């Protein structure tokens, strides 16, 4: 393969750092650290010439935090009781305190430390001093921590905003939360490198959706990569090259150009192509339309998964029913009369929402997430369901429930919908009372009950990202056990066959909307299992189309039928890969994930 040869030829592969390739493509650019509000603060040693600008950055952040705080006091202060107003004033004194700023600046200067780390150390020092004093001073410990947090937030925000004004970069972060990707200007991201996040993690999904090469599982990033230094990455093979020498640099550039060109050709063919099986639906998984190629969108049959939680992130309050109605109508208009399946808000687990404070859980993935959470937060779920029912009067819209475990949960959602439809009718508000309600099968117990689920729901959608994590008991973000996450394992394929058959028997449509639906070998396996509706990240659509161009459902069925009794995922993968290589040849193999 040409792309591979370019990099291999350039020798010096010994310099490559290994990680896990989570989004294909090659990138070359300067390292830029991203810091989210949740997680560890960056700690770096500064070059001598960086010290004075760092002190200025700290002082600016104090000034901005103080102004923000003063604005809040002026807006709310009058309504507050006298003692709370006094607290505001004492906080303001902290922001203006030269002694505090001076001792943090001294840490920056003496220890050549970045502002975030110097601030954190000084705040910890003062807070522990105050805590040992009497009660009055103990309260000061909380005050100084609060002030420190606000200044820290300004520093983080400023750093994010700085990205907007700089050249394109390779973003490096310990972990990227789904909400972080909203505040980033993705058009400036050449690549992404993280410590945390497996192939089915949200960072991987978002990177692939935006066509950004990404590598994960790289330990001790900050110690490894100097900020601003040049970095090369190969997101298919999971490799990093720090400060690549000129020869390797050239090879990486050629490899990147080759990848971009072959992808463009595939996209063009895909947009023009029709599949050989007319009864297949090719749908997209979408969070927003920002980086979506309009031609790709037009070529799809609709949106099979709209992750609405992204509408709730990147803001400080929940959107109202009217705001949501306008938004959903807008999405329908964008998709131009084709179906859109909106999933109700799916937060909790690895998708925290900054303003939704939930108790700390020991096992968030097994905890309060999806409809488990929204059933108890009806003031969140009801406006969303009402907005969706109302938007359904403007286009073909379906409602999908995330993280369903039992049939009773679907029954309960249906009863709630019936009540809301009644209310809307009484209020004379346009809506569609026949809006289909679907269950997302992500919990093995729900997938094993697919026949019952199919009776209660209007359609089923299999979320293989979560289903496989629960099936194999593998955290989708934990690279230590990533090898056990095996979409092509015969056990997974047998379970999926059962779900697809249950839907067919009940006459209810079944979609697979996890990443597996769009990963070429997964697409092929699912086609062989009888799946008709595939919903995938837009980046995968061209590859899936190539699979459909080269295999009919019957051909894929004959191929996959012989694999279900095997023992190992590796055997299934090898046989599928060989068959795909024979039929599709170079067309798709150059961008196969591995
Ligand atoms: C899934 O779990 O497969 C899915 C599509 O949902 P998400 O990736 O948003 O959890
Ligand atoms: Mg899921």
């Amino acid at each position: 393969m040409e792309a591979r040869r370019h990099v291999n030829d350039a020798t010096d592969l010994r310099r490559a750092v290994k990680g896990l390739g989570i989004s294909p493509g090659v990138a070359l650019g300067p390292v830029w650290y991203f810091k989210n509000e949740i997680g560890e603060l960056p700690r770096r040693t500064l070059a001598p010439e960086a010290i004075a600008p760092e002190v200025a950055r700290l002082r600016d952040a104090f000034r901005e935090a103080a102004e923000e705080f003063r604005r809040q006091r002026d807006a709310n202060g009058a309504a507050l009781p006298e003692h709370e107003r006094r607290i505001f004033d004492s906080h303001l004194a902290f922001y203006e305190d030269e002694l505090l700023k001076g001792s943090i600046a001294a840490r920056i200067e003496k220890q050549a430390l970045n502002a975030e780390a110097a601030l954190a150390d000084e705040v910890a020092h003062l807070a522990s001093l105050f805590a040992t004093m009497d009660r009055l001073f103990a309260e000061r410990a909380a005050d100084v921590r609060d002030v420190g947090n606000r200044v820290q937030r300004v520093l983080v925000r400023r750093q994010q905003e700085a990205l907007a004004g700089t050249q394109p970069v390779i973003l490096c972060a310990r972990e990227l939360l789904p909400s972080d990707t909203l505040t980033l200007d993705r058009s400036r991201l050449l690549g992404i490198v993280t410590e945390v996040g497996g192939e089915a993690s949200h960072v991987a999904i978002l990177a692939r959706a935006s066509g950004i090469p990404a590598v994960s599982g790289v330990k001790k990033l900050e110690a490894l990569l100097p900020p601003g230094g040049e970095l090369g990455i190969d997101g298919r093979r999971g490799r990093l090259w720090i400060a690549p020498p000129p020869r390797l640099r050239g090879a990486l550039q050629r490899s990147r150009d080759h990848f971009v060109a072959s992808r463009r050709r595939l996209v063009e063919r895909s947009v023009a192509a029709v599949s050989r099986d007319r009864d297949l639906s090719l749908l997209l998984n979408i969070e927003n339309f920002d980086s979506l190629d309009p031609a790709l969108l037009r070529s799809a049959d609709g949106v099979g998964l709209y992750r609405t939680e992204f509408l709730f992130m990147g803001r400080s309050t929940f959107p109202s029913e009217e705001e949501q109605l306008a938004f959903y109508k807008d999405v329908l208009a964008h998709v131009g009369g084709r179906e859109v399946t909106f999933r109700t808000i799916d937060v909790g687990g690895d998708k925290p929402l900054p303003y939704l404070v939930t108790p700390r859980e020991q096992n968030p993935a097994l905890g309060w997430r999806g409809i488990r959470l929204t059933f108890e937060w009806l003031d969140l779920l009801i406006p969303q369901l009402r907005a969706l029912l109302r938007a359904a009067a403007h286009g073909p819209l379906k409602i999908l429930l995330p993280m369903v475990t039992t049939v009773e949960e679907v029954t309960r959602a249906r009863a709630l919908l019936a009540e809301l439809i009644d209310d809307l009718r009484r209020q004379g508000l346009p809506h569609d009372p026949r809006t289909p309600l679907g269950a997302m099968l992500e919990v093995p117990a729900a997938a094993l009950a697919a026949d019952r689920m199919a009776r209660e729901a209007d359609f089923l959608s299999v979320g293989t990202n979560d289903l496989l994590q629960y099936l194999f008991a593998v955290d989708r973000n934990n690279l230590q056990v990533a090898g056990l996450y095996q979409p092509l394992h015969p056990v997974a394929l047998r379970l999926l066959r059962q779900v697809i058959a249950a839907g067919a028997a009940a006459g209810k449509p079944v979609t697979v909307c996890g990443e597996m639906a769009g990963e070429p070998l997964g697409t092929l396996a699912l086609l062989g299992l009888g799946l008709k509706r595939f919903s995938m990240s837009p980046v995968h659509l061209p590859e899936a189309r190539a699979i459909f161009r080269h295999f009919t459902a019957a051909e894929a069925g004959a191929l996959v039928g012989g694999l279900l009794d095997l023992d190992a995922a590796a055997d299934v993968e090898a046989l599928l890969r060989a068959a795909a290589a024979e039929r599709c040849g170079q067309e798709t193999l150059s961008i196969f994930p591995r």
Side-chain angles (χ1 to χ4, degrees):
M1 237 173 304
E2 208 185 336
R4 186 171 294 189
R5 208 181 54 234
H6 282 317
V7 177
N8 283 343
D9 279 355
T11 63
D12 236 354
L13 277 174
R14 275 167 295 127
R15 287 171 59 95
V17 175
K18 281 194 199 152
L20 178 75
I22 56 172
S23 177
V26 172
L28 191 66
V31 168
W32 180 80
Y33 277 102
F34 173 78
K35 210 50 240 149
N36 49 36
E37 288 181 25
I38 306 164
E40 291 160 31
L41 291 165
R43 181 170 292 272
R44 341 176 248 283
T45 306
L46 302 175
E49 65 276 13
I51 289 179
E54 195 69 358
V55 172
R57 195 164 83 87
L58 173 83
R59 291 189 174 277
D60 278 354
F62 260 91
R63 199 171 309 118
E64 188 174 325
E67 275 164 22
E68 234 174 56
F69 190 73
R70 210 174 278 119
R71 273 197 304 276
Q72 284 174 2
R73 182 197 60 178
D74 294 347
N76 309 319
L80 294 176
E82 175 61 25
H83 72 278
E84 287 191 25
R85 242 178 308 167
R86 274 212 302 273
I87 295 177
F88 264 106
D89 291 339
S90 69
H91 274 212
L92 260 185
F94 270 118
Y95 290 109
E96 279 150 14
D97 183 3
E98 263 314 310
L99 221 57
L100 176 62
K101 274 177 276 194
S103 47
I104 302 168
R107 282 180 190 266
I108 297 178
E109 285 159 352
K110 287 206 192 101
Q111 300 172 39
L113 206 53
N114 60 310
E116 292 89 342
L119 170 64
D121 289 355
E122 184 62 21
V123 166
H125 168 70
L126 287 177
S128 67
L129 267 185
F130 285 138
T132 56
M133 298 178 185
D134 68 13
R135 208 181 64 81
L136 191 67
F137 280 101
E139 280 169 16
R140 305 262 82 176
D143 293 344
V144 76
R145 258 193 237 106
D146 189 340
V147 170
N149 283 345
R150 279 172 181 266
V151 177
Q152 206 66 270
R153 275 204 292 271
V154 173
L155 285 169
V156 169
R157 197 168 64 224
R158 283 284 190 84
Q159 206 190 354
Q160 287 171 18
E161 283 164 5
L163 179 64
T166 58
Q167 54 183 330
V169 290
I170 296 187
L171 180 150
C172 299
R174 204 188 91 71
E175 180 174 11
L176 266 192
L177 297 173
S179 56
D180 296 332
T181 56
L182 293 174
T183 54
L184 292 165
D185 176 359
R186 291 191 218 174
S187 67
R188 301 216 175 233
L189 299 185
L190 297 170
I192 297 176
V193 181
T194 59
E195 291 187 19
V196 177
E199 272 174 277
S201 65
H202 290 283
V203 57
I205 293 172
L206 288 160
R208 288 196 292 263
S210 313
I212 301 171
V215 177
S216 178
V218 185
K219 300 260 163 7
K220 300 203 169 72
L221 264 184
E222 297 219 45
L224 199 64
L225 308 176
E230 190 167 56
L231 180 68
I233 70 171
D234 179 342
R236 187 172 53 81
R237 293 193 295 156
R239 295 283 188 277
L240 311 185
W241 291 271
I242 302 161
R247 199 171 118 99
L248 179 55
R249 228 178 152 274
L252 286 168
Q253 268 160 346
R254 283 194 298 281
S255 186
R256 180 192 56 199
D257 296 347
H258 170 80
F259 177 81
V260 170
S262 63
R263 177 132 197 102
R264 194 182 317 115
R265 276 197 303 277
L266 198 63
V267 169
E268 279 161 12
R269 282 201 70 176
S270 160
V271 168
V274 278
S275 69
R276 284 163 69 188
D277 290 276
R278 290 274 168 76
D279 60 346
L280 297 180
S281 293
L282 259 133
L283 306 153
L284 298 180
N285 292 352
I286 281 185
E287 294 81 39
N288 60 56
F289 294 103
D290 284 358
S291 44
L292 183 61
D293 177 349
L296 264 186
L297 175 61
R298 279 195 302 275
S299 78
D301 296 307
V303 173
L305 174 65
Y306 199 105
R307 292 179 161 103
T308 64
E309 55 275 12
F310 286 82
L311 166 66
F312 294 76
M313 293 172 183
R315 358 177 346 130
S316 49
T317 53
F318 294 117
S320 67
E321 178 181 325
E322 294 303 324
E323 276 177 282
Q324 290 187 57
L325 171 62
F327 178 81
Y328 302 141
K329 277 169 62 178
D330 211 45
V331 173
L332 285 170
H334 221 94
V335 180
R338 281 156 296 155
E339 63 172 281
V340 182
T341 298
F342 286 96
R343 177 173 76 183
T344 61
I345 178 171
D346 183 22
V347 289
D350 58 345
K351 279 184 276 193
L353 200 57
Y355 49 90
L356 180 76
V357 183
T358 52
R360 216 181 154 73
E361 296 173 294
Q362 216 151 42
N363 277 311
L366 302 181
W368 209 34
R369 47 171 304 194
I371 51 161
R372 300 171 178 190
L373 188 147
T374 45
F375 268 153
E376 285 178 52
W377 284 60
L378 287 176
D379 46 347
L380 189 63
L381 185 60
I382 288 176
Q384 179 167 42
L385 290 177
R386 280 176 55 100
L388 286 169
L389 287 167
R390 291 172 65 188
H394 301 267
L397 177 155
K398 299 179 182 179
I399 298 174
L400 180 61
L401 306 169
M403 276 296 285
V404 169
T405 311
T406 65
V407 176
E408 291 91 305
E409 287 168 333
V410 185
T411 314
R412 179 172 169 195
R414 203 178 272 295
L416 178 60
L417 271 189
E419 270 175 45
L420 299 180
I421 289 168
D422 231 32
D423 291 345
L424 290 170
R425 191 176 38 77
R426 259 185 276 114
Q427 290 166 341
L429 292 169
H431 63 283
D432 181 358
R434 287 174 309 280
T435 307
L437 177 69
M440 206 160 165
L441 305 185
E442 300 176 274
V443 176
L448 287 164
D451 53 345
R452 316 290 166 100
M453 291 286 176
R455 257 182 253 150
E456 191 62 31
D458 297 315
F459 65 99
L460 302 177
S461 190
V462 191
T464 47
N465 304 340
D466 276 314
L467 180 61
L468 295 169
Q469 100 162 331
Y470 297 127
L471 187 64
F472 293 112
V474 169
D475 174 354
R476 60 199 261 193
N477 289 312
N478 184 344
L479 291 164
Q480 199 65 39
V481 287
L484 286 171
Y485 188 93
Q486 299 179 329
L488 298 174
H489 195 289
V491 163
L493 298 184
R494 287 204 288 267
L495 178 59
L496 291 166
R497 180 180 60 173
Q498 188 180 327
V499 171
I500 294 166
K508 301 283 173 72
V510 177
T511 307
V512 172
C513 65
E515 287 298 292
M516 180 185 178
E519 282 156 3
L521 300 183
T523 311
L524 179 55
L526 291 166
L527 181 67
L529 294 173
L531 187 73
K532 302 245 183 287
R533 293 169 53 85
F534 298 75
S535 192
M536 62 192 67
S537 195
V539 72
H540 288 313
L541 195 70
E543 296 154 12
R545 277 242 165 75
I547 294 286
F548 297 141
R549 267 202 304 279
H550 293 286
F551 290 90
T552 63
E555 287 163 348
L559 173 65
V560 174
L563 306 178
L564 298 177
D565 289 327
L566 295 176
D567 283 329
D571 296 337
V572 174
E573 184 173 338
L575 290 165
L576 287 175
R577 190 179 292 283
E582 197 186 313
R583 293 269 175 119
C584 310
Q586 282 299 312
E587 183 179 25
T588 54
L589 288 183
S590 63
I591 53 170
F592 270 8
R594 213 160 284 123

